[in-house]
Amino acid sequence: MCAHSRRAVLALFAGLAGSRPALAVDRAHALFVSVAFAMKGRAVENGDQPYGAVVVLNGDVIGYGPSRVVTNKDPSAHAEREAIRDAQVKLNRKNLSNCVMYSTSRPCPECEKAAHAARISRMFYGPDATDAGPPRL
């Protein structure tokens, strides 16, 4: 997954110098959406529910979350919470301020609460990166 790093995003922006800023944003969103859908694919390959999510900080994917509800026999192991947990471990902190979450579908109320508690700044979901805004309680 290292190809989905900050360098890849910066390269997208650099390659679009002088073009419409919205296009650069759309391409960055598309990159992170594709990684979330790759997590969905991983979940399905492992016999789990078809959901995936990632947490992004400064153009780097720092939290990966395939659904693990079935494989871990854990009803709380939704893709979004798995991505949040992974990001918190990698950053060695609970506070994920300035992070953005991308997921394959609209997060459930419990996942949105978890994102709010982790201080995720904004959420996007689905193949078109629909903006869900900041997580709410």
Side-chain angles (χ1 to χ4, degrees), residues 1 4 31-55 61 63-71 77-80 82-83 102-106 125-128:
M1 294 294 173
H4 303 45
L31 175 68
F32 300 127
V33 165
S34 72
V35 183
F37 275 86
M39 292 296 96
K40 174 183 175 178
R42 182 177 291 173
V44 170
E45 287 171 10
N46 291 330
D48 219 302
Q49 299 174 338
Y51 300 103
V54 294
V55 173
V61 176
Y64 295 92
S67 175
R68 293 188 177 111
V69 170
V70 175
T71 55
H78 290 195
E80 294 84 359
E82 291 294 293
Y102 289 83
S103 52
T104 56
S105 63
R106 174 77 192 210
Y125 68 93
D128 297 325

Side-chain angles (χ1 to χ4, degrees), residues 4-102:
H4 303 45
S5 68
R6 184 168 193 243
R7 279 175 273 141
V9 173
L10 292 175
L12 283 172
F13 284 97
L16 296 169
S19 61
R20 298 178 315 149
L23 180 60
V25 171
D26 290 345
R27 286 197 143 169
H29 284 309
L31 175 68
F32 300 127
V33 165
S34 72
V35 183
F37 275 86
M39 292 296 96
K40 174 183 175 178
R42 182 177 291 173
V44 170
E45 287 171 10
N46 291 330
D48 219 302
Q49 299 174 338
Y51 300 103
V54 294
V55 173
V56 176
L57 176 62
N58 298 327
D60 287 320
V61 176
I62 56 161
Y64 295 92
S67 175
R68 293 188 177 111
V69 170
V70 175
T71 55
N72 288 359
K73 298 174 183 61
D74 178 357
S76 74
H78 290 195
E80 294 84 359
R81 283 183 264 177
E82 291 294 293
I84 289 167
R85 291 172 186 146
D86 188 41
Q88 289 171 326
V89 166
K90 286 181 180 163
L91 294 176
N92 195 30
R93 66 180 199 221
K94 292 174 94 175
N95 184 332
L96 298 179
S97 295
N98 301 317
C99 291
V100 177
M101 183 165 56
Y102 289 83

